[in-house]
């Protein structure tokens, strides 16, 4: 959840920027992000490990094997997904609602507010997709989190551990729990969205 | 008066879709006609200060719009309203849509409500105002978009294909409303249209656009007779 929020703080401005960019630069950047979509999570985990390990460039932050690094890692992981999807939404919204607001005499601030209001439902749905990917990923949490009991152990790493131990029943129950969490978040957001139509 | 001086505009690179257009809009009703893709919509959006021209000047009531500060721009922009050819409505109720322009201008809730009802009556859409905007038909949306523009009493009203989706009887009614606005004499109306009848009944001047250039201007009777079969 915090990973999703963190990722949103930079993905929203980034995708707005991109949506209002010039044609050529834009298509290069969007291709890069689309390519990053398929990045294996263990690879992201490994990269972060190399950067944050004691001898890495950011090793002095001493973030390896902490919950914070999991959040940062997962936020980075889902950024390409969020940006790719939101970019589409903002491109359309800027073409339509931004123009509309200006045509009716809105100031820039008011026009921004109008655009955000119009896309809020879509942004919520996209965040949800990001959230599902973050909570369901294993690579980053395992490699940089370390699966330390009561500290950096999350559902997916716990499941992996149980599978390794041969405790398939426990793993299945944890898996079910993961599914229920994701489902209930999705359902509640659906519910909120309906109210704002 | 809105004056366009030597306007050039392109969406992509050097592909100019408006080429060296100079024209001014002052009083009365002006119709802009021309083939599909000739640049009518683009020109209207430039004249209503939504698009910034690549070259040339847009002079609104004597000032060079694009040289103004953001605050000043808003002031001048509020004299102008543009209505899209494909209606775009905001989420929420029809009444909220119609009142949008007044709300952002800081009118009170009561004032907004009063004016919304008044304009909705005039356009015969009072029965729609409590509906959700996304539940309307295209023609109904177009009427709402028109109401949302007319409620602002703009000095300059740019209408892009205002009758395109409307039933004949409704067209008549919209034309009557627009004529009333024209006869009040405070609003300059510019209409992009493919409909020679609309141009003949309302406009005092017709401008023909072709591939981004003005190729003909004059009185509608003189220009349009050959199009009426
Ligand atoms: N968003 C856009 N991006 C790129 N090119 C565009 C865009 N909008 C319009 N054009 C191009 O600009 C030219 C002028 O288009 P415009 O919409 O102004 O024509 P129009 O006269 O309004 O046509 P119509 O009668 O079909 O409404 C066309 O060649 C069109 O392909
Ligand atoms: Mg057009």
């Amino acid at each position: 959840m915090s990973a999703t929020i963190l990722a949103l703080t930079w993905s929203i401005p980034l995708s707005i920027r991109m949506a209002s960019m010039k044609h050529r630069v834009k298509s290069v950047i969007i291709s890069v992000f689309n390519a990053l979509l398929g990045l294996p999570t263990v690879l992201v985990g490994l990269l972060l490990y190399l950067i944050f390990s004691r001898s890495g460039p950011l090793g002095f932050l001493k973030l390896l094997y902490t919950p914070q690094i999991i959040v940062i890692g997962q936020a980075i992981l889902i950024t390409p997904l969020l940006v790719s999807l939101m970019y589409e939404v903002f491109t359309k919204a800027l073409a339509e609602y931004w123009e509309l607001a200006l045509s009716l005499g809105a100031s820039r601030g008011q026009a921004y507010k109008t655009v955000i209001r119009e896309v809020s439902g879509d942004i919520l749905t996209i965040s949800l997709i990001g959230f599902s990917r973050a909570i369901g990923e294993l690579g980053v949490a395992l490699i940089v989190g370390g699966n330390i009991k009561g500290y950096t152990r999350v559902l997916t790493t716990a499941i992996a551990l149980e599978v390794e131990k041969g405790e398939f029943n426990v793993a299945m129950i944890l898996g079910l729990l993961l599914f229920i969490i994701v489902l209930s978040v999705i359902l509640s957001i659906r519910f909120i969205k309906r109210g704002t139509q | 008066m809105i004056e366009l001086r030597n306007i050039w505009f392109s969406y992509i690179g050097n592909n100019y879709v408006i080429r060296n257009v100079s024209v001014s809009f002052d009083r009365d009703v002006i119709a802009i006609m021309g083939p599909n893709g000739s640049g009518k919509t683009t020109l209207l959006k430039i004249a209503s200060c939504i698009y910034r021209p690549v070259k040339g000047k847009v002079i609104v009531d004597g000032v060079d719009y694009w040289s103004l500060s953001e605050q000043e721009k808003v002031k001048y922009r509020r004299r102008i309203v543009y209505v899209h050819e494909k209606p775009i409505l905001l989420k929420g109720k029809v009444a909220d849509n119609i009142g949008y322009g007044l709300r952002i201008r800081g009118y009170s809730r009561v004032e907004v409500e009063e004016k919304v009802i008044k304009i909705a009556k005039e356009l015969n859409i009072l029965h729609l105002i409590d509906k959700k905007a996304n539940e309307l038909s295209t023609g109904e949306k177009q009427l709402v978009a028109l109401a949302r523009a007319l409620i602002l009493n703009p000095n300059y009203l740019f209408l892009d294909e205002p009758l395109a989706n409307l039933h004949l009887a409704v067209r008549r009614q919209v034309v009557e409303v627009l004529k009333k606005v024209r006869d009040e004499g405070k609003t300059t109306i510019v209409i992009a249209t493919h409909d020679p009848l609309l141009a003949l009944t309302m406009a005092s001047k017709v401008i023909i656009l072709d591939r981004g250039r003005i190729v003909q201007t004059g009185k509608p009777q003189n220009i349009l007779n050959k199009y009426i079969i």
Side-chain angles (χ1 to χ4, degrees), chain A residues 8 11-12 17 19-20 32 55 66 74-75 88-89 95 98 105 111 120 151 164 168 176 183 190 195-197:
Chain A
L8 283 176
S11 296
I12 292 179
R17 249 353 274 272
S20 45
V32 171
S55 53
T66 62
Q74 292 181 338
E88 301 284 332
V89 170
W98 176 263
S120 57
Y151 187 49
E164 229 166 89
F168 295 125
L176 194 65
L183 185 69
R190 270 272 153 98
T196 63
Q197 258 298 310

Side-chain angles (χ1 to χ4, degrees), chain B residues 23 25 29-34 191 193 195-196 198-209 214-225 227:
Chain B
V23 63
F25 304 116
V29 180
I30 298 113
I32 299 186
M33 303 186 73
I191 306 176
T193 181
D195 181 352
L198 176 65
L200 276 171
T201 44
M202 289 216 57
S204 58
K205 187 166 129 187
V206 174
I207 295 171
I208 309 276
L209 218 54
I214 293 181
V215 291
Q216 212 180 357
T217 50
K219 288 204 183 311
Q221 311 82 284
N222 303 339
I223 291 185
L224 295 172
N225 275 337
Y227 293 100

Side-chain angles (χ1 to χ4, degrees), chain B residues 52-100:
Chain B
R52 182 177 190 155
V54 177
K55 279 182 262 174
K57 282 192 174 149
V58 180
I59 312 285
V60 180
D61 295 336
V63 307
D64 178 359
Y65 177 82
W66 290 101
S67 72
L68 295 174
S69 70
E70 187 49 39
Q71 244 180 355
E72 290 273 291
K73 273 188 190 139
V74 177
K75 191 177 122 200
Y76 281 93
R77 200 151 70 216
R78 289 193 171 170
R79 303 177 182 180
I80 308 168
V81 171
Y82 167 81
V83 183
H84 286 81
E85 84 188 292
K86 228 179 93 221
I88 302 170
L89 297 193
L90 301 165
K91 255 189 222 164
K93 286 206 289 180
V94 168
D96 298 334
N97 266 280
I98 300 177
Y100 177 85

Side-chain angles (χ1 to χ4, degrees), chain B residues 11-12 17 35-42 85 194:
Chain B
Y11 287 96
I12 305 161
V17 295
N36 295 112
S38 56
K40 302 180 295 295
T41 297
T42 310
E85 84 188 292
H194 293 294

Side-chain angles (χ1 to χ4, degrees), chain B:
Chain B
M1 179 161 81
I2 293 183
E3 203 186 337
L4 305 185
R5 286 192 196 152
N6 305 98
I7 297 288
W8 291 76
F9 183 87
S10 73
Y11 287 96
I12 305 161
N14 285 329
N15 184 10
Y16 288 99
V17 295
I18 297 293
R19 300 158 166 269
N20 200 21
V21 166
S22 297
V23 63
S24 55
F25 304 116
D26 186 19
R27 303 281 143 146
D28 242 328
V29 180
I30 298 113
I32 299 186
M33 303 186 73
N36 295 112
S38 56
K40 302 180 295 295
T41 297
T42 310
L43 191 66
L44 251 52
K45 287 183 181 174
I46 293 169
S48 42
C49 301
I50 296 173
Y51 289 170
R52 182 177 190 155
V54 177
K55 279 182 262 174
K57 282 192 174 149
V58 180
I59 312 285
V60 180
D61 295 336
V63 307
D64 178 359
Y65 177 82
W66 290 101
S67 72
L68 295 174
S69 70
E70 187 49 39
Q71 244 180 355
E72 290 273 291
K73 273 188 190 139
V74 177
K75 191 177 122 200
Y76 281 93
R77 200 151 70 216
R78 289 193 171 170
R79 303 177 182 180
I80 308 168
V81 171
Y82 167 81
V83 183
H84 286 81
E85 84 188 292
K86 228 179 93 221
I88 302 170
L89 297 193
L90 301 165
K91 255 189 222 164
K93 286 206 289 180
V94 168
D96 298 334
N97 266 280
I98 300 177
Y100 177 85
L102 292 177
R103 281 204 313 280
I104 59 176
R105 283 165 175 74
Y107 281 73
S108 76
R109 233 171 46 100
V110 185
E111 279 174 298
V112 174
E113 208 167 304
E114 252 171 44
K115 284 176 187 269
V116 166
I117 290 175
K118 186 165 162 269
I119 192 75
K121 269 187 191 152
E122 242 177 284
L123 285 167
N124 227 342
I125 51 171
L126 197 57
H127 58 291
L128 296 180
I129 65 170
D130 284 322
K131 281 202 177 189
K132 281 182 183 168
N134 57 4
E135 288 168 1
L136 303 186
S137 77
T138 312
E140 288 172 332
K141 282 181 184 162
Q142 198 158 23
L143 288 173
V144 171
L146 193 64
R148 187 173 58 185
L150 290 173
I151 201 172
L152 295 170
N153 260 323
N155 299 75
Y156 304 97
L157 179 59
F158 292 91
L159 303 172
D160 206 342
E161 287 293 346
L163 306 183
N165 299 303
L166 303 179
H167 174 64
L168 288 177
V170 182
R171 285 183 182 205
R172 263 272 286 280
Q173 190 189 345
V174 168
V175 168
E176 289 312 314
V177 173
L178 291 178
K179 276 184 177 164
K180 216 181 96 197
V181 174
R182 173 190 68 186
D183 296 339
E184 278 166 11
K186 278 180 291 190
T187 307
T188 302
I189 305 177
V190 183
I191 306 176
T193 181
H194 293 294
D195 181 352
L197 278 177
L198 176 65
L200 276 171
T201 44
M202 289 216 57
S204 58
K205 187 166 129 187
V206 174
I207 295 171
I208 309 276
L209 218 54
D210 191 9
R211 276 163 286 176
R213 292 184 190 278
I214 293 181
V215 291
Q216 212 180 357
T217 50
K219 288 204 183 311
Q221 311 82 284
N222 303 339
I223 291 185
L224 295 172
N225 275 337
K226 59 178 177 205
Y227 293 100
I228 312 273
I229 315 154

